[in-house]
């Protein structure tokens, strides 16, 4: 029951913020046009600052090896390939394809996974998580941009995809963060404090806007896509990644890190990115909302089963 309590305590604040967003939209405090404009600001300003700040505040000296992070990155790459094949076989709408693939593979690693991992293994694993985040988050962003560009509509163009990657605010923020981390560049304290304050705004605002954007009337038309995306995100992809890791001899903190990276709900930032890149915003929002809610149960089951088998 302790694991269920941990999962609930991590997820509950996220759900409350989404409900706040739904309430202010329902009461017409903000209209649809305002929500779209604010989502654009979140995508172009607040989320990039959050990503930069998370990487900047990591310490590359915390761990002596990055094998687990590299393995996780490989699994993420494979999951994008597998999800693309699966989705293309069953879905014909390109906009839905992009939203589904991103929803299956892009984890809420920093917001949900990190506190869960620390709860399971203690603060001593914080260094390994920081390094993993510095490597995994940029890869998640790059793969998401590639997928959304490919399924943006029309014939995929290599130059357009490359341009989409190098001009994406989240990719740029990740690159700058990695440069400062590797080169050990330190910002002046007054700038660092301001960056940290702006970063704190990103997640609450993104969740509130997500709640304001969810259109329950359109859920019925996306049932098949939602079942496929959420099952892939919370069950299939973690099963593949964790099973292979267990067969390779990974245990304890390494498995906990994989739960954080693979079994976490779909990243909140996937919704504003889907909107900005002409994907199906309604479906993207629904995948985030439902995966966040259902992960309370699925993460509890993952932790319970893995402890029963002595892997955690």
């Amino acid at each position: 029951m302790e694991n269920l309590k941990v999962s609930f305590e991590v997820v509950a604040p996220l759900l409350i913020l989404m409900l706040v967003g739904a309430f202010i939209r329902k009461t017409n405090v903000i209209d649809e046009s305002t929500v779209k404009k604010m989502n654009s600001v979140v995508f172009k300003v607040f989320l990039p600052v959050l990503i930069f700040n998370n990487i900047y505040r990591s310490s590359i000296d915390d761990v002596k090896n990055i094998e687990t992070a590299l393995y996780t990155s490989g699994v993420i790459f494979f999951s994008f390939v597998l999800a693309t094949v699966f989705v293309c076989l069953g879905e014909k709408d390109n906009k839905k394809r992009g939203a589904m693939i991103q929803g299956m593979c892009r984890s809420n690693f920093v917001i949900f996974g990190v506190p869960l991992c620390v709860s399971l293994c203690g603060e001593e694993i914080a260094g390994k998580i920081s390094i993993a985040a510095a490597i995994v988050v940029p890869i998640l962003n790059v793969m998401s941009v590639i997928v959304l560009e490919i399924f943006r509509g029309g014939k995929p163009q290599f130059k357009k995809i490359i341009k989409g990657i190098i001009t994406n605010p989240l990719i740029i923020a990740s690159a700058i963060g990695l440069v400062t981390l590797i080169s050990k560049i330190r910002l002046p304290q007054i700038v660092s404090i301001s960056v940290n304050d702006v970063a704190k705004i990103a997640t609450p605002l993104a969740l509130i806007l997500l709640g304001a954007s969810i259109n329950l009337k359109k859920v019925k038309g996306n049932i098949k896509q939602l079942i496929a995306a959420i099952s892939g995100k919370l069950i299939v992809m973690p099963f593949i990644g964790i099973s292979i890791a267990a067969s390779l001899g990974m245990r304890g903190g390494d498995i906990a890190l994989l739960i954080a990276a693979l079994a976490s709900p779909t990243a909140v930032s996937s919704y504003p990115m889907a909107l900005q890149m002409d994907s199906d915003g309604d479906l993207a929002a629904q995948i985030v909302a439902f995966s966040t809610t259902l992960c309370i149960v699925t993460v509890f089951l993952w932790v319970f089963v893995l402890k029963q088998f002595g892997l955690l």
Side-chain angles (χ1 to χ4, degrees):
M1 292 302 293
E2 182 63 27
N3 297 325
L4 180 60
K5 180 183 177 183
V6 169
S7 298
F8 179 77
E9 287 177 348
V10 172
V11 172
L14 311 185
L15 296 178
I16 291 170
L17 287 170
M18 285 192 283
L19 289 174
V20 170
F23 175 76
I24 63 176
R25 179 68 186 90
K26 186 72 174 176
T27 53
N28 294 317
V29 174
I30 55 175
D31 57 19
E32 186 176 351
S33 175
T34 303
V35 171
K36 287 183 177 179
K37 289 179 181 177
M38 291 176 69
N39 267 310
S40 178
V41 174
V42 168
F43 176 71
K44 295 176 180 177
V45 179
F46 291 107
L47 286 175
V49 173
L50 173 65
I51 288 173
F52 166 80
N53 194 56
N54 286 334
I55 297 174
Y56 172 77
R57 291 181 180 275
S58 300
S59 173
I60 204 163
D61 298 321
D62 281 337
V63 292
K64 296 180 179 179
N65 62 74
I66 56 172
E67 282 88 351
T68 306
L70 293 177
Y71 170 79
T72 305
S73 301
V75 171
I76 288 170
F77 176 81
F78 174 74
S79 70
F80 269 96
V81 175
L82 185 63
T84 300
V85 173
F86 173 77
V87 170
C88 286
L89 290 174
E91 178 59 53
K92 304 302 180 185
D93 186 330
N94 271 346
K95 288 192 174 185
K96 290 185 185 296
R97 282 175 170 175
M100 288 176 68
I101 296 166
Q102 182 184 217
M104 286 181 179
C105 304
R106 193 173 182 189
S107 288
N108 206 345
F109 182 52
V110 174
I111 298 171
F112 180 89
V114 171
L116 177 68
C117 206
V118 171
S119 296
L120 291 173
C121 300
E123 292 292 337
E124 61 269 18
I125 201 173
K128 183 172 284 191
I129 299 173
S130 296
I131 297 303
I135 295 172
V136 170
V137 171
I139 290 174
L140 285 170
N141 290 330
V142 170
M143 294 303 295
S144 295
V145 171
I146 291 173
V147 165
L148 292 175
E149 281 289 352
I150 289 174
F151 295 108
R152 199 165 193 163
K155 186 178 180 180
Q157 299 177 15
F158 181 74
K159 288 184 178 179
K160 189 176 181 182
I161 292 173
I162 295 299
K163 182 181 178 181
I165 293 172
I166 62 178
T167 59
N168 185 282
L170 305 185
I171 305 297
I172 294 171
S174 297
I176 296 173
L178 285 171
V179 169
T180 59
L181 178 66
I182 293 170
S183 62
K184 297 184 180 181
I185 296 173
R186 297 288 90 185
L187 298 174
Q189 186 176 9
I190 190 169
V191 176
S192 178
I193 292 172
S194 299
V195 168
N196 193 47
D197 287 341
V198 174
K200 290 177 181 178
I201 299 171
T203 299
L205 182 56
L207 286 164
I208 289 171
L209 292 173
L210 173 64
S213 305
I214 295 173
N215 189 339
L216 294 178
K217 293 179 181 178
K218 295 186 179 182
V219 170
K220 189 176 180 180
N222 289 330
I223 292 295
K224 182 180 74 172
Q225 291 83 356
L226 282 170
I227 292 173
I230 293 171
S231 298
K233 180 72 204 72
L234 300 180
I235 300 172
V236 178
M237 298 305 179
F239 176 78
I240 294 172
I242 294 172
S243 297
I244 297 173
S247 68
L248 293 174
M250 293 186 184
R251 298 290 186 274
D254 291 334
I255 294 294
L257 195 151
L258 287 171
I259 294 174
L262 302 176
S264 295
T266 303
V268 177
S269 57
S270 65
Y271 166 64
M273 182 181 281
L275 278 184
Q276 293 299 307
M277 299 185 68
D278 299 324
S279 187
D280 189 322
D282 288 321
L283 178 57
Q286 291 160 14
I287 291 172
V288 174
F290 284 102
S291 67
T292 300
T293 304
L294 293 173
C295 78
I296 296 174
V297 177
T298 57
V299 169
F300 164 72
L301 291 174
W302 275 116
V303 172
F304 176 78
V305 170
L306 291 170
K307 282 195 172 186
Q308 289 295 108
F309 280 93
L311 297 175
L312 265 178

